[in-house]
């Protein structure tokens, strides 16, 4: 296979760059051997994941005291972040904002194209370039697939490249959600041999759920993880993901039967139907109730299994389940703040200081 050199990557038009296989262009998003932009789950190796998880746990423990929190807030007090979230978001937005506060980053935000100059006809590309005049980091959520990558491509060709973190790009990827999902699995299985050899069952809209896609990519970093994908016929996992699983020799099965598979799972990852991506209101014909987790089903779930959900939920998980010791989704949500702080600390070269501080 011919490898594309960095100088050649730099010369590609956006269209040619976008169609270049991911593995050939990952180095375009790195600087000095570190991630510069965080756009795809495929950018994370196992050592990097575990470095970020360790940092997240240290930040959590340092932040428990006022002195610790005051110290954390000095780390990036000289940096500014722009949160550009033009697709609905509650927890990703607030957890990034909170993570920025923890590290002392100054935050600005735009939450809708209706309040930015895009309403006056400015292109998203010019909007992004404008942010780079004021910020050192752009965290973005966009309805258009590939927009985070395109923004990074554009800015890396300017004299003021600033870091981009993808907070969700259409139906495509949500790498920081995958990081917090993995961190949750990592902590939950810490005293049970880790993530290796575990069975993860993902349930719901697997076709359009970007969290499921990004999490699958990250699971490749662990040995012999088995996947069970449970979805209605129309919402089955995509062929690109199946090709990825086969290529990486990751065992998986597909099913439309939640109850039958429940007993096999070490983690059950529930998701809501992503009907905002409907083209013709097609979701209304799908009986999604078969993909809801009900309290009475839990007798079939292993005693030490965990129940996850990226949230928001509708009726996928009975609220009665919230008090079951296996329900992990609220903790999972909170883990997002620590892991996002850890990611930003790493990207700005501050994580070693954090790891050293906690060692004292
Ligand atoms: C997810 C998303 O936006 O993809 N939410 C989140 O970031 N926690 C899942 C969803 O919206 O269903």
């Amino acid at each position: 296979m011919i490898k594309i050199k960095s100088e050649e990557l730099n010369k590609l038009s956006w269209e040619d760059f976008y169609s270049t296989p991911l593995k050939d262009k990952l180095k375009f998003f790195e600087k000095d051997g570190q991630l510069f932009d965080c756009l795809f789950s495929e950018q994370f190796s196992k050592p990097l994941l575990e470095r970020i998880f360790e940092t997240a746990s240290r930040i959590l423990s340092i932040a428990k005291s006022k002195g610790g929190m005051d110290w954390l807030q000095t780390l990036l007090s000289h940096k500014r972040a722009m949160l550009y979230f033009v697709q609905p978001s509650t927890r990703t937005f607030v957890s990034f904002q909170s993570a920025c506060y923890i590290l002392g980053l100054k935050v600005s935000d735009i939450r809708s194209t209706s309040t930015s100059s895009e309403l006056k006809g400015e292109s998203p590309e010019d909007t992004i370039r404008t942010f780079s005049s004021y910020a050192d980091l752009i965290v973005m959520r966009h309805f258009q697939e590939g927009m985070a990558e395109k923004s990074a491509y554009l800015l890396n060709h300017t004299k003021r490249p600033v870091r981009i973190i993808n907070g969700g790009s259409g139906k495509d990827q949500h790498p920081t959600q995958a990081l917090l999902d993995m961190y949750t699995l990592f902590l939950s299985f810490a005293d049970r041999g880790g993530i290796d050899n575990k069975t993860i069952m993902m349930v719901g809209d697997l076709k359009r759920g970007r969290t499921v896609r990004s999490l699958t990519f990250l699971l490749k970093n662990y040995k012999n993880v088995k996947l069970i994908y449970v979805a209605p016929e129309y919402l089955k996992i995509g062929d690109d993901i199946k090709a990825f699983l086969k290529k990486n020799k990751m065992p998986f099965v597909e099913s439309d039967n939640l109850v039958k598979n429940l007993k096999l799972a070490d983690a059950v990852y529930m998701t809501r139907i992503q009907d905002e991506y409907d083209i013709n209101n097609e979701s209304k014909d799908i009986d999604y109730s078969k993909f809801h987790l009900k309290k009475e089903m839990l007798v079939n779930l292993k005693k030490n299994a965990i129940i996850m959900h990226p949230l928001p939920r509708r009726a996928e998980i009975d609220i009665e389940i919230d008090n079951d010791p296996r329900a992990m989704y609220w903790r999972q949500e909170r883990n997002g703040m620590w892991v996002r702080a850890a990611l930003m600390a790493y990207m700005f070269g501050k994580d070693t200081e954090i790891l050293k501080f906690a060692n004292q």
Side-chain angles (χ1 to χ4, degrees):
M1 189 154 311
I2 311 157
K3 278 228 157 190
I4 306 177
K5 294 203 190 82
S6 297
E7 317 82 79
E8 288 164 26
L9 270 177
N10 280 331
K11 285 188 202 136
L12 292 180
S13 68
W14 162 244
E15 286 71 23
D16 290 342
F17 185 87
Y18 193 46
S19 57
T20 300
L22 195 49
K23 63 173 178 15
D24 292 336
K25 60 183 172 188
L26 286 181
K27 56 183 170 299
F28 185 82
F29 304 109
E30 290 171 13
K31 276 203 181 111
D32 308 322
Q34 289 245 128
L35 294 198
F36 186 76
D37 301 298
C38 169
L39 306 171
F40 320 99
S41 283
E42 291 92 326
Q43 289 176 284
F44 293 90
S45 62
K46 186 174 176 185
L48 178 54
L49 282 178
E50 297 198 348
R51 174 173 167 177
I52 290 171
F53 297 162
E54 197 186 336
T55 308
S57 296
R58 295 286 173 90
I59 293 175
L60 186 157
S61 77
I62 298 170
K64 283 188 200 303
S65 73
K66 174 162 167 33
M69 190 59 113
D70 287 347
W71 177 78
L72 285 167
Q73 285 173 5
T74 65
L75 290 177
L76 292 176
S77 56
H78 56 310
K79 298 287 181 191
R80 282 164 291 166
M82 167 54 85
L83 307 187
Y84 174 61
F85 275 59
V86 292
Q87 205 187 19
S89 174
T90 303
R91 68 221 87 233
T92 306
F93 179 85
V94 179
S95 71
F96 262 115
Q97 190 183 40
S98 307
C100 286
Y101 293 153
I102 290 171
L103 298 174
L105 275 138
K106 315 281 188 301
V107 185
S108 312
D109 67 80
I110 289 205
R111 301 216 53 184
S112 161
T113 52
S114 67
T115 60
S116 75
S117 284
E118 286 171 87
L119 197 71
K120 301 184 194 168
E122 185 169 56
S123 65
E125 292 80 0
D126 281 2
T127 302
I128 296 287
R129 188 150 187 181
T130 300
F131 296 152
S132 76
S133 298
Y134 310 120
D136 305 289
L137 165 70
I138 300 167
V139 184
M140 59 185 289
R141 166 168 290 197
H142 208 277
F143 40 84
Q144 202 179 311
E145 284 163 42
M147 195 58 208
E149 180 182 347
K150 190 175 191 181
S151 305
Y153 167 90
L154 282 169
L155 293 186
N156 289 346
H157 279 96
T158 69
K159 291 206 179 73
R160 234 194 101 67
V162 307
R163 292 167 170 81
I164 303 257
I165 297 180
N166 178 3
S169 49
K171 299 190 287 303
D172 182 30
Q173 283 238 12
H174 193 351
T176 65
Q177 177 71 40
L179 281 181
L180 75 93
D181 293 342
M182 286 299 280
Y183 182 47
T184 304
L185 292 168
F186 178 82
L187 295 176
S188 301
F189 299 145
D191 54 4
R192 282 198 277 149
I195 299 172
D196 293 341
N197 304 309
K198 296 295 182 291
T199 298
I200 317 291
M201 181 165 117
M202 303 199 194
V203 185
D205 189 344
L206 309 183
K207 180 180 178 172
R208 304 174 297 184
R210 56 191 174 197
T211 68
V212 164
R213 297 170 56 80
S214 288
L215 178 56
T216 299
F217 291 136
L218 277 194
L219 285 166
K220 166 192 142 226
N221 291 297
Y222 290 82
K223 285 198 206 80
N224 193 33
V225 174
K226 292 176 247 10
L227 287 144
I228 306 174
Y229 292 108
V230 178
E233 181 60 31
Y234 179 71
L235 300 176
K236 280 164 73 172
I237 194 87
D239 289 339
D240 62 332
I241 298 287
K242 286 197 259 182
F244 170 86
L245 294 161
K246 284 180 193 147
K247 186 164 168 256
N248 290 289
K249 300 193 171 49
M250 294 165 70
F252 72 97
V253 292
E254 288 184 274
S255 170
D256 62 359
N257 195 325
L258 168 59
V259 175
K260 196 180 101 200
N261 287 288
L262 207 52
K263 60 179 180 302
L264 304 171
D266 296 300
V268 186
Y269 189 95
M270 303 298 294
T271 67
R272 82 178 160 90
I273 197 157
Q274 308 280 310
D275 46 14
E276 65 267 44
Y277 296 113
D278 276 4
I279 296 159
N280 227 343
N281 227 354
E282 57 272 28
S283 293
K284 74 171 185 333
D285 300 325
I286 299 169
D287 179 8
Y288 207 67
S289 64
K290 287 198 277 179
F291 304 90
H292 290 174
L293 193 62
K294 304 259 179 356
K295 190 161 170 89
E296 59 272 18
M297 294 178 184
L298 294 189
V299 288
N300 294 313
L301 186 64
K302 286 181 192 171
K303 289 265 174 306
N304 58 2
I306 59 167
I307 305 164
M308 299 172 69
H309 195 308
L311 303 175
R313 84 171 139 190
R314 291 182 190 168
E316 303 83 52
I317 304 182
D318 258 0
I319 48 169
E320 286 173 69
I321 294 178
D322 289 10
N323 292 326
D324 189 286
R326 291 166 288 188
M328 201 52 70
Y329 29 95
W330 297 115
R331 186 163 330 156
Q332 176 188 355
E333 172 182 87
R334 192 165 159 78
N335 285 341
M337 178 173 71
W338 306 118
V339 108
R340 287 175 171 130
L343 173 69
M344 292 189 288
Y346 157 77
M347 288 174 73
F348 283 105
K350 290 286 174 186
D351 60 340
T352 28
E353 272 178 64
I354 292 171
L355 292 168
K356 267 194 227 145
F357 182 92
N359 276 338
Q360 287 168 356

